[in-house]
Amino acid sequence: MSKKLDRRKKYTRKVLKESLVALLANGKPISAITVKEICEMADINRSTFYMHYSDPYDLLDKIEAEIIEDMNTYLSSYRFTIEEESLKMTQKLLEYITNNKFLFQTLLTKNRDPAFEQRLMDIAQRFMMSTVHHLKEVNSRYLSTFVVSGAIHVIKDWMKNEMDLSPKEMAIMINHFANYGMSNLD
């Protein structure tokens, strides 16, 4: 019986998340989305919604927190001291974004939540700064801000262009920009 309840809870949360993302993708700002709209789209009653979330903002926070946790897991599984590992890590993150294309396009381009983008930047900066030991802390902080914010904007542009390059091609390009700037561009 417990497994059945767990599956039901997972399903309920899944359809509520999908409904909120669909509303955001249609251009509706989070401030204009009601619990009633989410529940109607998910075919779930309001009391069920409130068993899981306090309001649409809470639901969005949980969606973003899951993405952040997944990205932390991805980044923690790679070493950054070797350029090849950095390339693999970038490619894996881009594959993750590709596999969750609709969600990322909604949160980073259509609904543009600056807080979510900042949280992504903070994670990437923290991991990057932990690998740049030869620089002063202040230089490392500014270098990571420059590289990470540039990478995020390149990824957003890539998503707007319907991911016209493969994750591997994008990873190579982003790593080249981060490591060599504009030198040796083909």
Side-chain angles (χ1 to χ4, degrees), residues 134-176:
H134 64 281
L135 295 177
K136 290 184 204 174
E137 185 179 335
V138 69
N139 291 348
S140 177
R141 185 178 70 237
Y142 288 127
L143 172 65
S144 66
T145 298
F146 179 79
V147 171
V148 170
S149 63
I152 285 176
H153 283 82
V154 167
I155 292 167
K156 286 168 60 174
D157 192 48
W158 175 58
M159 286 189 295
K160 285 179 186 173
N161 287 306
E162 297 302 318
M163 299 176 168
D164 55 346
L165 298 173
S166 72
K168 183 176 183 175
E169 291 170 312
M170 285 303 297
I172 291 169
M173 185 184 309
I174 289 169
N175 279 16
H176 180 87

Side-chain angles (χ1 to χ4, degrees), residues 13 30-31 36 54 59 74 78 101 120 158 167:
R13 289 178 180 163
I30 187 71
S31 60
K36 181 180 178 185
S54 59
L59 174 53
Y74 263 76
Y78 292 94
K101 178 181 176 180
L120 291 177
W158 175 58

Side-chain angles (χ1 to χ4, degrees), residues 12 16 39 44-53:
T12 299
L16 289 171
C39 291
I44 303 278
N45 67 46
R46 288 171 54 119
S47 62
T48 302
F49 177 93
Y50 288 115
M51 286 173 40
H52 299 277
Y53 308 103

Side-chain angles (χ1 to χ4, degrees), residues 99-120:
N99 292 336
N100 296 282
K101 178 181 176 180
F102 182 69
L103 183 60
F104 275 91
Q105 283 180 325
T106 301
L107 295 178
L108 283 177
T109 59
K110 292 182 182 174
N111 190 49
R112 192 161 161 357
D113 179 359
F116 176 63
E117 188 174 315
Q118 185 60 52
R119 286 166 54 185
L120 291 177

